[in-house]
Amino acid sequence: MEIYLIRHGESEGNREAKLQGCEDFDLTTKGKKQAVKLGKYFSTVKLDYLYSSDLARAYETAKALEKYQSVQTIASKEFREIHLGPLEGKTREQIYEEYPEVKNKNLLQSGLAGTETDEQITARCRHFYKTLMNIKENEKAAVVSHGGFLTIFLMYLLAGEQWNTLHRPFQINNTGVTKLSWRGDKLSIHYINQYHHLESIE
C-alpha cells in the first residue's frame, strides 16, 4: 500500500507567524492556490482513501484533492495539529515574553498546563498507525494534516514510543508531500516534503 502524508496550504496563521495548534485558521489566497496545484498534481494518482484533519486549513486543502478523485474526504480530529493550549494564536515573540521558561524548549512539547502531553501525542500516533494498517494491499491513501503532527508521526514510525527522546529533524513545507509504502510490515520512505508542484506560484 502507498500512503501520502500532506501538510495543508498556507494559512492565515502561517502568514502571521503564529503558532496555530488546534486554533482554526483559514487558508490564505496563496494557500488556496497551493491547494489547487496540489489537487492537480494528484489528478494522476487514484486514491482509495482521503483523510483530513477537521481544522479548516487542512480540510480545505483536502477538498482541493477531492475534486480530482472519486472518493470523499473523511475528516477527523485525530489528524489535528498538536494542541498547544495557551500558546495557540501567538507569535514566538509573544510566547517568550509571556512564558520565558519555554524559550529553550521545543514548543510542541513545552509541558505547559493545557498543552497536549507526549503520552497523548503517542496515543494519537498509535491510532493513526492502526488506521493505516487497515488499508489493504495495493490501495492508496492520502492524509492531509499539519507540520508538527506529521513530523512527530514520522519520528514515531522510526523510533516507536521513544520518539520523544530524539531530535526531530524533519521539516515539511505547506502542501509538502511525503510518500510511504509498506510491504507486509516493512516500511519504505520514498521521499519527504516534496513540493515541486508549487514552482509556478509566487
Side-chain angles (χ1 to χ4, degrees), residues 1-5 129 132-133 135-141 154 157 178-191:
M1 61 175 169
E2 295 180 356
I3 307 296
Y4 298 90
L5 305 180
Y129 180 75
L132 297 184
M133 290 302 101
I135 295 170
K136 297 177 182 177
E137 188 177 355
N138 299 322
E139 290 186 328
K140 296 183 174 76
L154 287 173
L157 290 177
T178 296
K179 182 180 178 181
L180 313 174
S181 68
W182 275 267
R183 186 179 294 275
D185 62 351
K186 302 298 183 184
L187 167 67
S188 294
I189 300 177
H190 296 255
Y191 51 77

Side-chain angles (χ1 to χ4, degrees), residues 52-118:
S52 173
S53 158
D54 63 347
L55 295 175
R57 57 193 186 272
Y59 186 69
E60 188 174 351
T61 303
K63 295 297 280 187
L65 268 76
E66 185 184 282
K67 288 182 181 180
Y68 296 89
Q69 302 294 329
S70 59
V71 295
Q72 292 188 328
T73 303
I74 301 170
S76 172
K77 65 181 181 181
E78 291 293 330
F79 307 123
R80 284 184 174 188
E81 182 58 290
I82 306 304
H83 180 53
L84 300 176
L87 307 183
E88 292 182 352
K90 298 174 182 176
T91 65
R92 288 181 180 271
E93 290 75 17
Q94 290 172 322
I95 290 168
Y96 296 150
E97 183 175 344
E98 292 182 42
Y99 304 95
E101 67 272 23
V102 304
K103 192 166 187 178
N104 295 315
K105 290 185 177 181
N106 177 348
L107 294 182
L108 296 183
Q109 299 169 269
S110 68
L112 288 175
T115 62
E116 193 168 358
T117 66
D118 287 0

